[in-house]
Amino acid sequence: MPQVNPKPTRPLQAATLALKGGLMHDPVTQAIAPNIAMSVNHAFAPGDGAFSADGVADLTALPFLYAGWTNPTVRQLELRMAALEGADDAFATASGTAAANAMFFTFLKAGDHLIISDVCYAGVHELACKLLPDYGIEVSTVNLSYLDDVAAAIRPNTRLIHAESPCNPLLRLTDLAALAEITRARGILLAVDSTFATPVATCPLALGADLVLHSLTKFINGHGDALGGCVAGRKDLVERIRSRAGVYFGAALSAQNAWLIMRGIDTLFPRMQAMSASAAKVAAFLQAHPAVSTVIYPGLASHPQHALAQRQMRVPGALIIFQVRDPEAVAQRLARDAAVFDYAFSIGHQRSLVVLLKTQDLLQSTFTLTPAQLADYRRYAGDGVLRLSIGLEDPQDLIDDLDRALTL
Ligand SMILES: Cc1ncc(COP(=O)(O)O)c(C=O)c1O
């Protein structure tokens, strides 16, 4: 497919890459906006195809045999995600969880050891801790903020470390450059779920990670109307994932969802900037409110890792967690009376969301923590937090909703 524009004379800025990086004219019509290509199959000539020396098929070198591996619309999204993350290539999946599955089942086999953050997105945490051991994979959960703990947990068979920064739901950060030094020195793959940060805040590959994952369902699509996921990184790693997960998992992203997600990428930078600016105002309001005991937001000086946030995040993001004395009552009032917030799970949409995450519930369903890990969890979340995902509304309206719910 032809490129849209001649090569720029110097590298494009990240915000420009969100609009232009990886985007191509339609080769037939020269349409400049992406089309939705619905065909499942594409014609080819016998003998077409490319295999690298180790026998791994580059399934994108034969466009576009079967939509289970890739399709023109999904491929555009993959190239745009690769451009945004500074990766050689990306592999898109039907959801963020499918991207994690694709990565785990590509790089881990029986007898291997995985280290995963003791706290991260519940679905992926449970996948790692409840399912992978059934396949003979050893799994350790470590607080990745403490690099000495990481070094101590590494075994001769450790193949992969899975980090999430900021992590769900604590908004705790991992020093990715420092962690990458540890993994590089030992030949361990470092994968970072950057869903909460987005490429607007952090580019994990530039900090030394090998793979970056996204739930595209969240900020990157940004409109709450399409599930998607992707994993991006070096060409050989992505090829390996595609040739296993693309062929065998059956978790291909649909062309329609790829198109919606690309529509979201067009406005990713201004959305993240506006939502971060609003979140900063909401966080400052909460911090000053007498009914609020703790606010965790990477942009607040009181965040336990504020210095790291300033170093590693270009914007502090749109997520806030906070503690109050009676979180259930406040959650009830928000669910019933809020004029703007919707009471719902998920994050990263254009409309603001709030949900109560009780520590006891998450300890029962998902996280098994050592006493030290539990103490750290409670430092961020106490007995439970209200999680806000700030959208694009006027922040004053959001503050008014919160003020009403916090004032008995
Ligand atoms: C950090 C993070 N990673 C991955 C996922 C999974 O994404 P999906 O819902 O697209 O499967 C989520 C979902 O909430 C998440 O918060």
Side-chain angles (χ1 to χ4, degrees):
M1 286 200 267
Q3 282 285 345
V4 172
N5 299 106
K7 244 181 147 8
T9 46
R10 61 192 171 107
L12 297 174
Q13 302 296 314
T16 311
L17 275 179
L19 288 150
K20 304 295 279 188
L23 191 68
M24 295 167 188
H25 285 159
D26 180 279
V28 176
T29 65
Q30 295 300 311
I32 60 173
N35 290 324
I36 306 181
M38 293 300 292
S39 185
V40 169
N41 286 99
H42 297 259
F44 69 103
D48 280 356
F51 288 86
S52 54
D54 59 0
V56 174
D58 176 359
L59 297 167
T60 62
L62 197 154
F64 288 98
L65 203 57
Y66 185 57
W69 305 332
T70 189
N71 120 311
T73 313
V74 175
R75 188 67 189 139
Q76 280 265 286
L77 170 64
E78 289 172 345
L79 295 174
R80 292 184 71 178
M81 283 308 303
L84 269 180
E85 287 291 2
D88 293 342
D89 203 354
F91 173 63
T93 50
S95 69
T97 308
N101 265 290
M103 181 188 67
F104 289 153
F105 283 100
T106 297
F107 297 113
L108 297 171
K109 60 181 185 326
D112 288 345
H113 176 231
L114 164 73
I115 295 176
I116 186 166
S117 176
D118 64 336
V119 178
C120 63
Y121 166 60
V124 170
H125 195 279
E126 290 169 26
L127 161 68
C129 297
K130 295 184 177 170
L131 267 64
L132 293 187
D134 287 349
Y135 298 89
I137 295 160
E138 299 167 23
V139 180
S140 302
T141 56
V142 176
N143 181 338
L144 301 179
S145 313
Y146 300 129
L147 297 172
D148 289 348
D149 291 359
V150 178
I154 289 173
R155 304 175 187 169
N157 56 341
T158 305
R159 296 279 169 268
L160 179 67
I161 296 185
H162 179 73
E164 202 177 274
S165 185
C167 78
N168 188 357
L170 297 182
L171 305 181
R172 196 181 67 196
L173 309 188
T174 295
D175 186 334
L176 299 177
L179 183 57
E181 269 184 38
I182 294 177
T183 52
R184 278 268 159 88
R186 293 163 175 82
I188 297 167
L189 286 176
L190 173 59
V192 178
D193 183 329
S194 198
T195 300
F196 276 28
T198 81
V200 180
T202 307
C203 288
L205 301 180
L207 297 172
D210 299 288
L211 293 161
V212 56
L213 284 86
H214 284 284
S215 166
L216 301 173
T217 317
K218 309 297 181 330
F219 292 103
I220 292 188
N221 174 52
H223 293 78
D225 51 13
L227 285 167
C230 84
V231 47
R234 266 196 345 258
K235 186 171 159 53
D236 61 313
L237 300 179
V238 175
E239 251 172 40
R240 196 163 283 280
I241 296 171
R242 190 187 306 280
S243 70
R244 288 178 71 97
V247 174
Y248 304 124
F249 281 21
L253 182 64
S254 76
Q256 295 204 21
N257 277 3
W259 186 88
L260 282 167
I261 293 164
M262 280 196 278
R263 168 66 69 91
I265 291 177
D266 284 347
T267 56
L268 177 65
F269 273 73
R271 273 190 293 111
M272 280 305 287
Q273 283 153 355
M275 296 192 311
S276 283
S278 289
K281 288 186 184 152
V282 173
F285 160 79
L286 288 170
Q287 196 165 46
H289 200 289
V292 175
S293 53
T294 306
V295 185
I296 301 282
Y297 177 63
L300 286 178
S302 57
H303 188 286
Q305 298 158 299
H306 182 59
L308 174 59
Q310 285 188 306
R311 213 166 61 236
Q312 193 168 274
M313 299 181 76
R314 286 181 287 269
V315 293
L319 296 161
I320 303 166
I321 57 172
F322 66 99
Q323 294 175 46
V324 291
R325 251 185 318 278
D326 189 353
E328 307 234 15
V330 175
Q332 289 284 354
R333 283 199 290 277
L334 279 166
R336 197 186 53 219
D337 301 334
V340 182
F341 278 101
D342 284 315
Y343 190 85
F345 281 116
S346 205
I347 58 147
H349 304 338
Q350 77 277 43
R351 296 187 185 85
S352 294
L353 304 174
V354 56
V355 76
L356 171 61
L357 301 168
K358 289 199 274 184
T359 299
Q360 197 51 40
D361 290 352
L362 283 166
L363 292 178
Q364 257 163 21
S365 64
T366 309
F367 305 124
T368 305
L369 302 174
T370 65
Q373 289 171 342
L374 181 59
D376 203 70
Y377 191 102
R378 287 195 187 280
R379 190 156 72 100
Y380 283 76
D383 291 335
V385 285
L386 287 144
R387 183 182 69 193
L388 304 180
S389 175
I390 299 300
L392 290 168
E393 307 92 343
D394 190 300
Q396 190 54 52
D397 291 329
L398 301 172
I399 288 170
D400 288 349
D401 264 355
L402 292 165
D403 202 20
R404 268 194 305 277
L406 290 167
T407 310
L408 285 170

